[in-house]
Amino acid sequence: MLRWPSSAEVLEQAHLWAEHQAAGHPELEAVGVFGSYGRGDAGVGSDLDLLLILSRCDLPIWERLRPWDTATLPLATDLLVYSRQEWQTLPSWNPRLAATLARDVHWLIAPP
């Protein structure tokens, strides 16, 4: 029988994933959950949206997902990967996304 994982299970697995990634990627400063799991209204069929903030990231946007293996997470996962500088300036170049993230992000590893 198939069973969709509970929100608590998904968030626990996401937290463990974040800690594991931080141990292997010293540039990883913060990990947050946003979208339905960040707002607390996830249900059957929801995906997991994660925000990663790195101390520095010189990779082009289309290459940034490659280092992050999400296969151990219990759901399909979308990632946003920003450098600290990009994160700090997000309100100036994408105010709508910045407002959404400010409202919805639940930090698994809080930014410094």
Side-chain angles (χ1 to χ4, degrees), residues 27-44:
E27 73 278 12
L28 181 61
E29 293 186 345
V31 178
V33 176
F34 66 101
S36 59
Y37 282 95
R39 290 187 307 269
D41 60 9
V44 173

Side-chain angles (χ1 to χ4, degrees), residues 3-65:
R3 182 183 70 80
W4 198 261
S6 71
S7 291
E9 290 170 321
V10 171
L11 292 173
E12 175 62 25
Q13 289 301 309
H15 190 224
L16 293 172
W17 180 88
E19 289 178 341
H20 178 75
Q21 296 303 310
H25 296 271
E27 73 278 12
L28 181 61
E29 293 186 345
V31 178
V33 176
F34 66 101
S36 59
Y37 282 95
R39 290 187 307 269
D41 60 9
V44 173
S46 294
D47 68 344
L48 180 61
D49 300 298
L50 295 177
L51 168 65
L52 281 61
I53 301 174
L54 311 179
S55 56
R56 182 180 170 157
C57 186
D58 297 324
L59 294 172
I61 198 78
W62 60 89
E63 291 287 332
R64 293 182 182 195
L65 304 182

